[in-house]
Amino acid sequence: MGGVSNTSLSPLPSSDRVDVAARLRDALLGASFTADGLLDLLGAPAYAALARSETVPALRATRGDTPLETLVRLFLLQQPVPHARVRDVLPVEECLDSGWLTRVGADEIAATVDVRPYGGPGGEDWFIVSDLGCAVGGAGGIGSRDEGVVLGVGGASTTLAGITVRMPVASALDLGTGSGIQALHAAQHATRVTATDLNPRALHITALTLALSGAPAADLREGSLFEPVGDETYDLIVSNPPFVISPGARLTYRDGGMGGDDLCRTLVQQVGDRLNEGGYAQFLANWQHVEGEDWQDRLRSWVPRGCDAWIVQREVQDVTQYAELWLRDAGDHRGDPAEYQARYDAWLDEFEARKVKAVGFGWITLRRTSVADPSVTVEEWPHPVEQPLGETVRAHFDRVDFLRAHDDAALLAGHFRLVAEVVQEQVGLPGAEDPEHVVLRQHRGMRRATKVDTVGAGFAGVCDGTLSAGRILDAIAQLVGEDPVLLRDRTPAQIRLLVEQGFLEPAV
């Protein structure tokens, strides 16, 4: 989160003219400038191409003069539009006066910022503001970025929004807010939202995003990490930090400005003191896989005292893949080949010096707890999941509480239900009398699969909340001719695992 200079960036609309933002919002909605409206106008291929920074299909689809085509050309494709056409769609003089639009050429109007429709989780029509050409798929493309620009919503932003636990809270903190997407989501269920960023331009754009989306204003504070909030505590803290592990901090929007993965480590270690009891902190992060060190141990060492943790590694790249990904992100591959090679070399030098062999990416969720022995789960799960996952994340910690409070005897006395949309698969050779093994598979949330033995499959299959676990095992013991005492003794570990992974849930 290093400093930036904004002298070369274009002026932004006024963030004080909430009245103009409201009228602009009404005009955008009136012309169906929404996520659904765009898909209808452009069609799926052109819509998808726009997300890949390819604008030609969208330009071809907006050659008419309807209000929606005018807005797409103006705000998404950053094309100058004749004044008369804009005047028919927008309150043009107010937008010029407040800085949303600017005059170009003899009689044309251009947008000063990228405005992109974004569908909220409840069907809300929101708008994400970013610098021109810097939305995902923006007209300027990936590589045309000044170091101080503010980007729109990318895959990382939507991932974080999807995994965030959504429940009514008094206070939420969006640390490193960028274009304000996390603050916008938080405003739907938090009484008070604070958004911070080291880049004052990002705070300005966040204010525009909130106003144009019809959301309450946030408490905006400039500064790095937790400096702007001092000792204040929150019920929810979210951050999509500049986590890229790179030599130096050339690009503020992505590079952490600390050595290696120190920024992510510092963020995680310091967040515990800023959480209220029961509060959640959720981050996206990169971490180093260092030679001779277990990556899971590395992440466990980050977890602050007094916090339960669930850390999921979603992807691992070797250092060459990682360097190429982010060099291309910056557009370096399009420039001077010798300069590209030198930068690539510098990345590999940095990794070699730190004995880094790969870089992991994933999610970190912490929950403040007062228990003496917090739960820390670190796992690798590269498989497809079903977003949004916020409820799945909350349920994980609920299960942690349940299992912590129930010893084996209490588990056997408990009543359980098989979670909805769990199916059983039998795996074996065709025609075999018995399957080699049985798999339980989730079709929601994390979409886990786990092998179970015959007892485990039979137990899960009859769990409907009616009978206690112990009585079910006694019935199974009678069926299979096994000693019920021995079965009761060896099965709680399997029950505990099925509860922990979300296949079984306590029947309330």
Side-chain angles (χ1 to χ4, degrees):
M1 290 189 177
V4 298
S5 169
N6 296 323
T7 54
S8 63
L9 298 173
S10 61
L12 293 172
S14 169
S15 58
D16 298 328
R17 296 294 304 276
V18 179
D19 57 327
V20 178
R23 281 193 282 279
L24 176 55
R25 171 179 172 79
D26 288 343
L28 297 178
L29 294 177
S32 297
F33 187 68
T34 63
D36 290 341
L38 285 186
L39 185 57
D40 288 343
L41 170 69
L42 301 178
Y47 193 75
L50 197 59
R52 301 191 301 268
S53 299
E54 297 292 348
T55 58
V56 172
L59 286 166
R60 290 173 61 86
T62 55
R63 289 181 290 195
D65 58 0
T66 67
L68 182 53
E69 287 170 299
T70 297
L71 293 175
V72 170
R73 284 193 160 249
L74 197 61
F75 287 116
L76 263 64
L77 303 176
Q78 280 96 59
Q79 300 293 307
V81 178
H83 185 283
R85 280 180 60 184
V86 180
R87 187 182 57 218
D88 291 339
V89 185
L90 298 176
V92 67
E93 296 306 322
E94 291 172 282
C95 289
L96 285 166
D97 183 57
S98 59
W100 288 96
L101 302 174
T102 187
R103 298 181 191 276
V104 293
D107 191 32
E108 289 188 313
I109 301 293
T112 58
V113 287
D114 189 301
V115 175
R116 190 145 305 224
Y118 179 92
E124 302 92 346
D125 288 314
W126 292 341
F127 299 98
I128 308 301
V129 180
S130 62
D131 272 308
L132 292 173
C134 292
V136 170
I142 293 287
S144 58
R145 294 170 179 166
D146 185 285
E147 66 165 17
V149 298
V150 178
L151 272 60
V153 175
S157 302
T158 54
T159 295
L160 178 59
I163 67 171
T164 299
V165 175
R166 302 294 175 195
M167 57 186 183
V169 294
S171 57
L173 170 64
D174 175 12
L175 193 150
T177 187
S179 60
I181 181 59
Q182 309 305 331
L184 181 54
H185 276 278
Q188 309 309 301
H189 61 102
T191 304
R192 175 174 58 88
V193 176
T194 301
T196 71
D197 207 290
L198 184 59
N199 183 357
R201 190 175 182 87
L203 298 175
H204 191 132
I205 283 182
T206 291
L208 298 175
T209 289
L210 294 172
L212 198 58
S213 298
D219 178 5
L220 304 174
R221 306 188 191 180
E222 182 182 341
S224 180
L225 295 174
F226 293 102
E227 291 172 359
V229 299
D231 296 328
E232 294 176 38
T233 56
Y234 299 85
D235 302 312
L236 173 67
I237 298 175
V238 293
S239 183
N240 176 19
F243 53 67
V244 177
I245 299 169
S246 63
R250 188 161 58 102
L251 298 170
T252 306
Y253 70 87
R254 65 166 209 198
D255 298 335
M258 295 186 184
D261 52 17
D262 282 357
L263 183 132
C264 291
R265 176 185 57 79
T266 301
L267 188 58
V268 173
Q269 288 179 336
Q270 292 183 356
V271 77
D273 293 335
R274 273 78 179 187
L275 282 176
N276 295 325
E277 180 68 16
Y280 287 89
Q282 299 187 260
F283 312 105
L284 300 184
N286 274 175
W287 43 79
Q288 298 173 152
H289 285 229
V290 179
E291 190 176 332
E293 176 185 89
D294 186 300
W295 68 269
Q296 294 179 319
D297 290 342
R298 182 182 190 85
L299 288 171
R300 286 190 187 96
S301 74
W302 290 9
V303 177
R305 284 199 289 182
C307 287
D308 292 322
W310 184 22
I311 302 174
V312 182
Q313 179 168 273
R314 295 287 290 153
E315 185 180 0
V316 182
Q317 291 185 316
D318 67 49
V319 292
T320 59
Q321 291 174 308
Y322 189 81
E324 289 163 17
L325 169 68
W326 294 109
L327 287 167
R328 286 177 176 275
D329 171 83
D332 291 328
H333 62 299
R334 298 197 192 105
D336 177 22
E339 190 173 339
Y340 171 78
Q341 190 171 355
R343 281 183 171 153
Y344 196 153
D345 225 16
W347 282 65
L348 296 186
D349 284 345
E350 178 87 1
F351 286 133
E352 188 176 325
R354 294 179 176 275
K355 298 185 177 179
V356 175
K357 56 184 181 179
V359 176
F361 166 81
W363 319 324
I364 298 177
T365 301
L366 307 176
R367 183 187 61 168
R368 187 74 186 175
T369 181
S370 57
V371 301
D373 188 20
S375 163
V376 177
T377 300
V378 183
E379 63 173 320
E380 184 164 23
W381 189 253
H383 311 294
V385 298
E386 183 190 50
Q387 284 276 33
L389 275 170
E391 183 58 25
T392 299
V393 173
R394 186 198 59 75
H396 167 90
F397 289 94
D398 285 350
R399 294 194 299 269
V400 165
D401 289 340
F402 175 84
L403 292 172
R404 199 154 41 197
H406 289 73
D407 59 15
D408 286 356
L411 278 185
L412 292 174
H415 294 240
F416 298 92
R417 276 194 305 261
L418 189 66
V419 172
E421 297 195 45
V422 171
V423 298
Q424 175 180 304
E425 300 173 358
Q426 296 187 351
V427 181
L429 293 173
E433 186 174 338
D434 297 311
E436 291 179 19
H437 58 263
V438 177
V439 173
L440 297 181
R441 187 179 302 278
Q442 300 167 351
H443 282 269
R444 305 298 296 272
M446 293 292 286
R447 295 178 173 166
R448 294 186 188 278
T450 188
K451 288 183 184 179
V452 289
D453 59 19
T454 305
V455 171
F459 179 87
V462 297
C463 274
D464 62 2
T466 306
L467 299 175
S468 70
R471 288 188 63 188
I472 293 173
L473 289 178
D474 290 344
I476 291 175
Q478 191 172 2
L479 281 173
V480 300
E482 189 167 339
D483 184 334
V485 175
L486 293 177
L487 193 61
R488 278 175 172 256
D489 187 52
R490 70 177 174 84
T491 308
Q494 191 169 185
I495 297 173
R496 193 172 291 276
L497 181 66
L498 290 175
V499 172
E500 181 184 321
Q501 294 191 341
F503 291 94
L504 295 177
E505 61 186 3
V508 179

